[in-house]
Amino acid sequence: MISNEQRAHDLALTTAKLFAEQQFELALRSPKANIEITTDIYPIYVKAYKAALESINRDFN
């Protein structure tokens, strides 16, 4: 059995991955020739982790 922290980590990784993929997709669809993606996904991971852990602890404790 995995811990709530591991569950939250898995969800946060997935959230950060999906966000990054969305940013890349938007850049690819942009009509501009040179697009620079400067998004730092670590803060997104941290925010998602904290939110997921709070929800998981509420539901699984």
Side-chain angles (χ1 to χ4, degrees), residues 21-59:
E21 288 173 350
Q22 179 186 39
Q23 295 302 303
F24 288 127
E25 185 66 31
L26 289 172
L28 288 173
R29 291 182 183 183
S30 174
K32 296 181 182 178
N34 295 321
I35 299 293
E36 182 177 340
I37 300 172
T38 59
T39 302
D40 182 6
I41 63 170
Y42 179 71
I44 296 162
Y45 165 84
V46 171
K47 185 175 180 180
Y49 176 83
K50 289 178 182 179
L53 184 59
E54 181 180 316
S55 294
I56 290 168
N57 281 337
R58 185 175 50 245
D59 291 343

Side-chain angles (χ1 to χ4, degrees), residues 11-23:
L11 286 172
L13 281 179
T14 301
T15 301
K17 179 182 179 287
L18 290 172
F19 181 83
E21 288 173 350
Q22 179 186 39
Q23 295 302 303

